[in-house]
Amino acid sequence: MLNRYSLLFHALLSCMLIFIIEACSRRSIVDAAVFFSSHAFAFFFNALIIFFTLSVVYLFRRRTLMRIIISCIWLLLGIINGCVLSQRVTPFGYTDLKCISDLLTMTNTQYFTKTQEICVIILLCVLVVFLIIFALKGPKFQGHPHKIRAACFCAGMGMVMSLATTMAHSSEQMASYFANIAQGYSDYGFVYGFSSSVMDRGMSKPKDYSESTIKAIKQSVAQAKEEASSYKIAQNDQVISDSAKKQQPNIICVLLESFMDPTEINYLKLSQDPIPNFRALSDQFTSGYLSVPVVGAGTANSEFEVLTGMNLRFFGTGEYPYKTILKQTNCESIASDLSATGYGTHVVHNNGGNFYSRANAFSQFGFDTFISKEMMNIQEYTPLGSWPTDDILIGETKKALDSTPDQADFVYTITVQGHGNYPEEKIIENPEIKVSGAQTEEQNNQWEYYVNQIHEVDKFIKNLTDMLSERNEDTILVLFGDHLPTMGLADEDLKSGDIFKTKYATWNNFGLEKKDADLAAYQLLAYATDQAGIHEGTIFTYHQAENYRSDSELYQNRLENLQYDILYGERYCYDGLDLYPASDLQMGVDKTHIKYYRKNADGSLSILGDHFTNWSRIYVNDTKMSTTFVSDTELILSADDTSDLENGDVLKVCQVGSSSTIFRTTENTVSYYTADEPVAEADSSLETTVSDSDE
């Protein structure tokens, strides 16, 4: 019966799967029914996509098995999307599959627990076992297979699918681009949205892309730059002389994780202003709203726009360039542009160096150093223990500045304290700021936890500006929120009327004029450097020359051409040359080394040195050993491992990130000998002071 009426069965199965998937994605059967009634065309178009995938069953004898496998794949994707949307606003897309390794590094945080990981693994194992048994015991198609006819049917379905998609786009029944990904998935369905993220990746070649187009854009920018050749920096209302301009200011750009102004939320009631320091900067220095490409998650995409000046709307649905094009292509950025003028360029972040493939991306951007959490002696964590607090970033940012004493620096600092998820139960017994006004007690608890963490971040901002003020160096500070938190906010809940708007603020100590402006994330650093009289880089000078007219069609068309040329095209803007190669990124600025080792009374071995962290691991002959972190000067190898050491074994210490990535190794190694007294590295260049007790 299934084979005789298989097409009808596939049609019914497709509709049933779409309803279940939408119920999972929306976490509501009622909302799935509303989607069916109010977006009927989208519902059946999603069903057509599943019907198309089911057509491949005719190529196999075990058709029932293939139907089950295809159905399970779609159901699993829908369930995953529902789980993702319970933690963030941005739905699940193809590029998220490239972030699985990042998700696993977040085990035992409030975002992703060990228990959840175990449950997922068990369920997948049960499914695999079931499919294996069904493959061995299940029914086979007994008729003549007609493989040629089946292949032709599949090809025909592919053509129908392509034609239907083209017609749906041209009639505007289905959108080809989602300005708001979350809204796009909601209006057009998960299956269509996810399929778009699979098929639509990278950048499409602009219709007018050519060498002459790029040359014309460059000429237009050069002309605007020539007209503004007498760069002016306001300082006490005077034009700075050429000699003074050579003293380049430090530029510190700080991404504030999930940072927003809670007073912008219409229904919240707060016992006091949670961000007085950020607000004071906004009142005194250049500030405004910042339009970002994501909401609830997707920090790397806001980061990409800020650092490159490129617009994410020209990329595929839900794409993370860090996980796609930047895996294979270098990219001009603010770091490479400022490096060309003599700046030292650094990144500071109290999270893993491999998260979002950042170590690779920052190398492709041309940064000199990256101080990730693996290089930090982190001691303080948020009340949930999920994330490090941000205070440590002040000292680490100072280290980055001090590492290049004879040049100006660009430091990009990324905070993490405001990161979700936010608990529904009350965690902070006596919060500094009390919050009410949400619909439920659980939501009030979430907002109260979030607001108090943001309040701590605001204190970090004050401490950071104090540190920079004490340095007596011309400095520009740019602070921005990467996206709103995952709290189910809607446009009507905000004074700005847009969940894709955060805020930015600046600070400087050399008299720049306050010029407030609402900007897109990809314009932020062009605007900041423009005010400081810095006009460097292909994309950044383009924004400056075009005066940030993001609503202009011509402006966006030219930006799209430049982006495509740099990342996917012939690089006509560089005359075909590779002007901005990837850097040899150095992890950390502190030089770690081993001073000596000593045998302990319990048979363990202590390695003594400098700048060790919780992510330091002892290696014996290039084999990673279980390591106990005692302090930034001492690590311990267990007695069992020590007993296995032999004369001549080489000991070293490495800073290790996720997936056992070695980020940095001690500058020296020591050889182990079974002597009673400690043996130090024979290096006359190292001066080692050893106390009597250590000897």
Side-chain angles (χ1 to χ4, degrees):
M1 289 292 292
L2 289 179
N3 285 306
R4 182 173 298 178
Y5 302 104
S6 60
L7 292 178
L8 176 61
F9 174 66
H10 284 180
L12 295 174
L13 176 61
S14 299
C15 292
M16 182 182 71
L17 288 173
I18 290 300
F19 189 86
I20 295 173
I21 289 168
E22 290 301 322
C24 292
S25 296
R26 299 164 194 271
R27 303 181 302 288
S28 168
I29 294 177
V30 173
D31 288 347
V34 171
F35 173 68
F36 171 72
S37 61
S38 60
H39 297 82
F41 184 91
F43 182 93
F44 288 112
F45 193 89
N46 280 258
L48 178 62
I49 295 173
I50 292 186
F51 185 88
F52 165 61
T53 61
L54 287 170
S55 65
V56 301
V57 305
Y58 297 113
L59 299 173
F60 302 89
R61 281 191 175 275
R62 295 190 180 276
R63 295 181 178 180
T64 304
L65 174 65
M66 293 307 301
R67 289 188 186 103
I68 293 174
I69 291 175
I70 293 170
S71 299
C72 284
I73 290 173
W74 282 116
L75 287 173
L76 281 172
L77 292 173
I79 292 170
I80 291 171
N81 187 50
C83 294
V84 166
L85 289 176
S86 70
Q87 303 290 347
R88 75 182 197 196
V89 176
T90 306
F92 180 67
Y94 171 78
T95 312
D96 284 309
L97 295 174
K98 296 177 177 289
C99 299
I100 289 177
S101 59
D102 295 335
L103 182 64
L104 296 178
T105 65
M106 298 169 72
T107 299
N108 275 336
T109 66
Q110 190 69 14
Y111 199 80
F112 183 64
T113 67
K114 190 72 174 179
T115 302
Q116 289 172 327
E117 180 183 356
I118 293 172
C119 290
V120 169
I121 292 173
I122 291 174
L123 289 173
L124 289 177
C125 288
V126 170
L127 177 60
V128 170
V129 170
F130 168 76
L131 291 176
I132 291 174
I133 295 174
F134 199 92
L136 296 174
K137 304 292 186 180
K140 290 183 181 179
F141 175 62
Q142 301 300 318
H144 187 68
H146 297 293
K147 290 187 177 181
I148 295 178
R149 185 191 302 174
C152 291
F153 176 75
C154 291
M157 280 302 305
M159 295 177 64
V160 169
M161 192 71 247
S162 177
L163 181 61
T165 302
T166 301
M167 293 176 63
H169 289 169
S170 61
S171 64
E172 298 184 353
Q173 293 283 350
M174 305 292 286
S176 58
Y177 169 75
F178 305 152
N180 181 331
I181 296 174
Q183 191 63 48
Y185 272 57
S186 177
D187 291 344
Y188 304 115
F190 167 75
V191 170
Y192 174 72
F194 183 83
S195 300
S196 297
S197 74
V198 174
M199 302 302 295
D200 181 21
R201 286 182 285 138
M203 286 184 64
S204 300
K205 184 178 179 180
K207 294 179 180 179
D208 57 341
Y209 174 71
S210 66
E211 183 174 7
S212 60
T213 298
I214 300 300
K215 296 296 184 184
I217 297 172
K218 285 190 66 179
Q219 184 177 358
S220 174
V221 172
Q223 183 177 350
K225 189 173 181 179
E226 180 67 24
E227 292 172 356
S229 59
S230 56
Y231 302 139
K232 295 182 180 180
I233 303 177
Q235 188 176 37
N236 300 323
D237 296 325
Q238 298 295 321
V239 178
I240 294 180
S241 65
D242 289 341
S243 60
K245 282 188 285 185
K246 294 178 182 177
Q247 299 175 359
Q248 299 167 311
N250 293 324
I251 302 173
I252 317 296
C253 180
V254 182
L255 181 153
L256 302 170
E257 170 64 43
S258 301
F259 187 89
M260 70 171 298
D261 180 356
T263 65
E264 290 268 307
I265 302 170
N266 295 324
Y267 58 79
L268 276 192
K269 298 177 182 178
L270 308 166
S271 62
Q272 66 182 73
D273 185 0
I275 56 168
N277 297 304
F278 185 89
R279 197 175 312 285
L281 295 183
S282 299
D283 292 341
Q284 188 175 354
F285 302 94
T286 297
S287 61
Y289 283 111
L290 190 71
S291 296
V292 293
V294 292
V295 60
T299 296
N301 279 353
S302 294
E303 180 173 286
F304 175 83
E305 286 202 346
V306 168
L307 294 179
T308 65
M310 296 183 181
N311 189 344
L312 256 295
R313 70 171 288 185
F314 301 129
F315 288 83
T317 301
E319 182 169 353
Y320 289 88
Y322 279 19
K323 292 287 186 178
T324 53
I325 186 62
L326 289 182
K327 285 288 190 179
Q328 62 200 45
T329 301
N330 54 50
C331 178
E332 183 184 353
S333 73
I334 190 68
S336 53
D337 291 337
L338 292 177
S339 290
T341 68
Y343 273 76
T345 56
H346 319 275
V347 181
V348 179
H349 183 30
N350 51 345
N351 200 11
N354 276 336
F355 198 62
Y356 278 128
S357 299
R358 275 192 169 111
N360 171 76
F362 294 149
S363 172
Q364 300 286 30
F365 285 157
F367 279 97
D368 297 329
T369 68
F370 180 15
I371 307 175
S372 64
K373 76 173 183 180
E374 290 85 0
M375 313 295 148
M376 300 180 187
N377 188 14
I378 296 173
Q379 301 295 325
E380 299 291 332
Y381 286 81
T382 55
L384 281 176
S386 306
W387 308 103
T389 57
D390 291 333
D391 281 345
I392 194 170
L393 297 175
I394 297 169
E396 299 299 328
T397 299
K398 185 176 184 298
K399 282 182 185 178
L401 291 167
D402 291 342
S403 67
T404 53
D406 298 325
Q407 62 186 128
D409 292 288
F410 172 76
V411 183
Y412 173 54
T413 298
I414 312 165
T415 72
V416 78
Q417 187 165 353
H419 202 296
N421 199 11
Y422 313 106
E424 294 183 352
E425 64 275 12
K426 191 173 182 65
I427 298 296
I428 307 173
E429 289 300 323
N430 296 302
E432 190 171 347
I433 299 176
K434 293 180 172 57
V435 179
S436 61
Q439 291 184 345
T440 66
E441 183 180 355
E442 289 77 13
Q443 290 175 334
N444 279 325
N445 288 336
Q446 286 184 301
W447 277 115
E448 190 167 84
Y449 183 89
Y450 167 78
V451 167
N452 279 275
Q453 295 313 302
I454 291 301
H455 185 53
E456 294 300 314
V457 175
D458 187 68
K459 295 177 183 178
F460 151 79
I461 292 172
K462 176 64 166 60
N463 294 334
L464 179 63
T465 54
D466 287 347
M467 182 273 288
L468 295 174
S469 297
E470 293 170 359
R471 294 183 62 83
N472 196 30
E473 298 173 347
D474 287 355
T475 302
I476 300 169
L477 173 65
V478 181
L479 306 133
F480 72 96
D482 60 334
H483 55 69
L484 299 191
T486 307
M487 292 288 202
L489 290 170
D491 290 343
E492 57 268 22
D493 297 327
L494 302 170
K495 292 179 181 177
S496 69
D498 188 348
I499 60 173
F500 285 87
K501 281 187 177 179
T502 64
K503 282 190 171 181
Y504 77 93
T506 64
W507 170 90
N508 71 85
N509 59 356
F510 58 102
L512 289 182
E513 182 183 354
K514 178 178 172 64
K515 293 183 178 180
D516 291 348
D518 294 341
L519 302 169
Y522 52 84
Q523 299 170 328
L524 178 61
L525 288 183
Y527 192 73
T529 54
D530 194 6
Q531 284 193 284
I534 299 173
H535 305 271
E536 300 293 337
T538 309
I539 299 289
F540 294 102
T541 54
Y542 170 74
H543 291 309
Q544 293 168 353
E546 293 293 325
N547 202 26
Y548 318 101
R549 297 175 298 171
S550 58
D551 57 345
S552 164
E553 184 177 346
L554 178 61
Y555 176 96
Q556 293 295 342
N557 173 262
R558 288 178 168 181
L559 179 58
E560 182 181 12
N561 270 279
L562 285 176
Q563 287 185 205
Y564 182 85
D565 187 55
I566 291 172
L567 290 175
Y568 298 92
E570 302 299 324
R571 296 193 166 178
Y572 296 127
C573 61
Y574 307 149
D575 295 323
L577 302 176
D578 186 12
L579 298 183
Y580 302 97
S583 63
D584 185 12
L585 186 71
Q586 174 184 297
M587 297 299 293
V589 296
D590 288 326
K591 296 180 180 179
T592 58
H593 70 271
I594 300 173
K595 291 182 176 179
Y596 60 95
Y597 65 80
R598 70 159 179 251
K599 279 284 194 70
N600 299 317
D602 62 358
S604 63
L605 189 76
S606 288
I607 302 292
L608 286 301
D610 288 321
H611 305 304
F612 298 149
T613 74
N614 270 306
W615 291 270
S616 297
R617 298 292 180 267
I618 298 170
Y619 277 67
V620 177
N621 298 328
D622 294 325
T623 299
K624 184 172 69 172
M625 311 300 291
S626 178
T627 304
T628 301
F629 173 76
V630 179
S631 71
D632 61 348
T633 60
E634 182 179 2
L635 305 172
I636 290 180
L637 188 66
S638 70
D640 289 341
D641 288 334
T642 301
S643 64
D644 295 332
L645 294 178
E646 298 178 355
N647 282 334
D649 282 347
V650 177
L651 307 177
K652 64 181 178 181
V653 176
C654 300
Q655 305 304 116
V656 182
S658 61
S659 304
S660 296
T661 303
I662 296 177
F663 284 137
R664 189 155 184 169
T665 303
T666 46
E667 295 191 316
N668 64 325
T669 61
V670 297
S671 297
Y672 177 81
Y673 294 97
T674 55
D676 292 334
E677 66 276 2
V679 180
E681 170 66 18
D683 186 345
S684 59
S685 66
L686 294 177
E687 295 182 4
T688 305
T689 302
V690 186
S691 67
D692 292 338
S693 59
D694 286 337
E695 290 177 351

